[in-house]
Amino acid sequence: MHRRVVTRRGFLKGASALLAAALPGQHLLAQSTAMRRLDWNTFRNTRDYGSLVDGISRMRENTNASDKRSWAYWTNIHLNSCPHGIAYFLAWHRGYLYYFEQQLRAVSGNKSLVLPYWDYYTTPEMPGEFTNPSPFNPLYLARQNTNVIDALTLAPFASTVTNMQRGLANPFEVLIEDQPHNPVHNIIGTTMATLQSPTDPIFWLHHANIDRLWSAWQQAGGGRTTPPADSTYWAGTFTYANRLAMQRSRTIDTRNQLSYYYQNETMPTSLPAAQVAQAGDGGFVLASMRQGDSPLQLAQLGPRPSGAAPRLLLRPAIAELAASPSRQISGNRLAVGGVLRIPLNENSLSVQLQLDQTSADLLQRTLSTAAPQAASPYRSARVVLDSVRISGSGDIGGYFYHLYLNLPSSTDVSSATAYRIGSVGPFEIDAAAHRVHMRQDPGGSEPGTVALTFALSRQLSELVAADPRNITLSFVRVSGNSAPGGEVIRVGEARLELSTDTPQ
Ligand SMILES: [Cu+2]
């Protein structure tokens, strides 16, 4: 079975260019010949499956981390230079996977080997080949969980998500990193919940899937826009290691620039069917208007069938915690109210952000579109979790928290995403600690901690401005089947800030 195919689109393009430019045909055909990355469920039945297992086995056995044929060499590239939570998350990983795939080909001796992907939107349970704990199985690594159904969302594929890059309104790159990318790392846990995650073989199938979803989004039309090749956005180079670099502009189009494409390049349109609810789990509880329904995890609920009763997400109870004062954080950031020392454990909780009258007035002048903008030096609002650290057994993962602002006391789950500002778990904390280490981020106010920032959408800013004396922040816990209890994360301060930055 060979998968070196010439696509019709690629062939026609090549043929017309040939006629137009009268260049040697072989060269053009070589450029339009692309390799197809397969879904694991297809890949596992090809002869390449053996090459993949053999290649990974050889690389894991090679313990010389300075040798590019070793497993640790590739983990160290990720550890030393991956951008998480900053620009080029998608493009950097596209080039990283491309070079890793070439290395796998070289080590396995199979020139047509391609990286397969794990489509968890179709099969949320990790493929069994990766979970067999035999010491002779090179695809296995200890993990907290193997089912990622609670990590999934359709939010990045909504028709309103038309910008690719961080910094523009509603950016695809930020949304897909936030969910499903980060929660998949967190729920699987153990090594996957850290920047050492490429040590786990499932990492490569997870990131091939994220890359595939980006490809699908790029081709979906509907006004979805990637910066054009001549944009300054693509200027520059990713340096992965010594003599291993890629021009950013080469990562725009997989088929024509990197000569690969995916078996399925369409965006998911539904979530996997709901599974049997876990009784007594520590996750958030969904109430139903009908009696007798079991509580279900939020992500397990697909679109509600017409005529069915709405399924409700209840806002977690408000914890009474000490308030933090309004104060100037820097020349362009003002804290308008917050709370101190939030312990995050197996339960969900909400906190109330207390604003004094002066801060409330300023917030209203800044964020309300009805108010004159000139009356405030600030332009946007954000939630900052400061002095965040892992505590207890939190570093093993298996869990994460959705963050909501001003969640109503109960809301239909399909409406809850309007209040969501992001998520936090051990992977986000480890990635932020790495940015501090790389001096890309100053870190948290307390030494050895991190700070996480969540920009508010225009809609949420309006909502907050409408009632600035009554702002709640909810941490909604999502636990995999295996997840640590007790305090796992400590947030030193959660606060609302006004900033001079452009609104999202
Ligand atoms: Cu990742």
Side-chain angles (χ1 to χ4, degrees):
M1 188 164 184
H2 73 102
R3 256 173 319 290
R4 187 166 272 274
V5 296
V6 180
T7 64
R8 184 172 164 76
R9 194 178 103 190
F11 177 77
L12 291 175
K13 205 170 168 181
S16 57
L18 177 68
L19 290 173
L23 287 168
Q26 245 183 337
H27 169 68
L28 284 162
L29 284 176
Q31 280 199 336
S32 59
T33 302
M35 309 275 268
R36 185 164 65 139
R37 288 186 181 170
L38 294 178
D39 185 307
W40 181 260
N41 291 326
T42 306
F43 180 86
R44 70 201 296 186
N45 296 316
T46 68
R47 285 199 308 212
D48 290 345
Y49 169 72
S51 300
L52 180 85
V53 173
D54 182 55
I56 292 177
S57 179
R58 285 167 191 258
M59 290 178 77
R60 288 185 70 172
E61 279 165 19
N62 184 336
T63 55
N64 177 4
S66 59
D67 183 348
K68 63 183 181 177
R69 294 168 299 182
S70 74
W71 201 239
Y73 179 88
W74 293 89
T75 296
N76 287 339
I77 290 177
H78 192 257
L79 201 54
N80 294 332
S81 57
C82 70
H84 286 96
I86 51 177
Y88 303 107
F89 163 72
L90 289 170
W92 186 93
H93 283 88
R94 178 166 279 178
Y96 177 52
L97 261 64
Y98 176 82
Y99 284 130
F100 175 77
E101 183 180 66
Q102 293 198 332
Q103 191 59 53
L104 263 183
R105 279 181 204 149
V107 171
S108 69
N110 179 346
K111 289 191 174 67
S112 64
L113 179 61
V114 283
L115 269 181
Y117 61 89
W118 171 25
D119 178 5
Y120 27 75
Y121 281 88
T122 307
T123 316
E125 179 65 35
M126 193 183 295
E129 291 85 351
F130 289 78
T131 60
N132 174 354
S134 157
F136 304 106
N137 180 10
L139 304 182
Y140 176 76
L141 204 70
R143 306 174 183 104
Q144 291 298 305
N145 295 290
T146 54
N147 192 312
V148 298
I149 193 164
D150 295 326
L152 306 181
T153 179
L154 295 175
F157 315 111
S159 61
T160 49
V161 181
T162 52
N163 290 314
M164 195 211 92
Q165 73 271 43
R166 182 174 284 274
L168 298 183
N170 230 6
F172 176 75
E173 174 163 278
V174 174
L175 289 169
I176 197 163
E177 182 178 7
D178 173 44
Q179 215 186 349
H181 169 265
N182 289 343
V184 166
H185 279 277
N186 282 322
I187 288 285
I188 293 174
T190 317
T191 310
M192 274 290 274
T194 72
L195 287 191
Q196 309 251 21
S197 44
T199 306
D200 188 334
I202 201 66
F203 169 94
W204 301 97
L205 277 74
H206 169 36
H207 267 275
N209 195 45
I210 293 293
D211 188 57
R212 176 184 76 90
L213 294 170
W214 179 25
S215 272
W217 182 88
Q218 287 181 295
Q219 295 172 53
R224 293 176 178 84
T225 309
T226 304
D230 59 359
S231 158
T232 53
Y233 178 81
W234 297 112
T237 301
F238 298 124
T239 301
Y240 296 99
N242 191 19
R243 286 184 295 179
L244 196 67
M246 184 178 285
Q247 287 183 329
R248 283 175 181 160
S249 59
R250 240 189 118 193
T251 61
I252 303 170
D253 178 340
T254 71
R255 199 179 297 252
N256 292 307
Q257 292 172 298
L258 298 175
S259 296
Y260 73 85
Y261 66 105
Y262 288 97
Q263 182 178 355
N264 178 345
E265 295 189 331
T266 59
M267 301 192 296
T269 53
S270 63
L271 294 173
Q275 297 187 326
V276 180
Q278 302 297 320
D281 65 33
F284 53 91
V285 174
L286 295 163
S288 170
M289 284 179 137
R290 284 182 305 179
Q291 285 191 332
D293 281 5
S294 333
L296 289 168
Q297 297 282 35
L298 180 68
Q300 292 177 336
L301 300 168
R304 176 160 52 99
S306 61
R311 290 167 296 209
L312 302 181
L313 169 62
L314 299 182
R315 187 178 69 203
I318 291 178
E320 300 295 337
L321 297 168
S324 62
S326 62
R327 65 198 189 278
Q328 203 76 41
I329 301 295
S330 67
N332 53 8
R333 291 165 59 192
L334 179 76
V336 290
V339 293
L340 296 170
R341 293 180 293 278
I342 307 166
L344 298 179
N345 57 31
E346 65 272 31
N347 299 312
S348 302
L349 66 84
S350 300
V351 295
Q352 198 138 25
L353 305 178
Q354 305 284 358
L355 273 65
D356 59 35
Q357 193 58 51
T358 312
S359 297
D361 290 346
L362 181 61
L363 181 87
Q364 221 152 18
R365 287 203 303 278
T366 307
L367 302 180
S368 168
T369 47
Q373 295 297 304
S376 166
Y378 301 102
R379 298 191 61 198
S380 61
R382 48 170 63 169
V383 168
V384 176
L385 303 185
D386 195 356
S387 299
V388 179
R389 71 172 96 227
I390 292 282
S391 45
S393 314
D395 58 349
I396 65 172
Y399 68 93
F400 68 97
Y401 302 83
H402 289 292
L403 262 62
Y404 293 96
L405 203 64
N406 280 8
L407 196 63
S409 58
S410 77
T411 183
D412 184 342
V413 288
S414 57
S415 314
T417 49
Y419 306 94
R420 192 173 173 285
I421 57 172
S423 61
V424 59
F427 184 79
E428 291 92 331
I429 294 172
D430 199 40
H434 175 72
R435 291 195 296 273
V436 175
H437 179 71
M438 301 294 286
R439 298 167 194 268
Q440 293 163 331
D441 182 325
S445 299
E446 288 172 33
T449 66
V450 302
L452 301 169
T453 298
F454 304 89
L456 264 57
S457 67
R458 283 171 197 272
Q459 296 92 311
L460 266 182
S461 298
E462 284 278 304
L463 192 68
V464 165
D467 189 5
R469 302 302 294 275
N470 191 18
I471 300 171
T472 58
L473 177 65
S474 300
F475 297 82
V476 173
R477 162 91 168 207
V478 178
S479 301
N481 290 340
S482 168
E487 185 178 310
V488 286
I489 293 172
R490 171 64 63 119
V491 179
E493 182 190 21
R495 61 176 182 257
L496 188 66
E497 284 185 7
L498 293 179
S499 157
T500 54
D501 287 357
T502 315
Q504 291 286 294

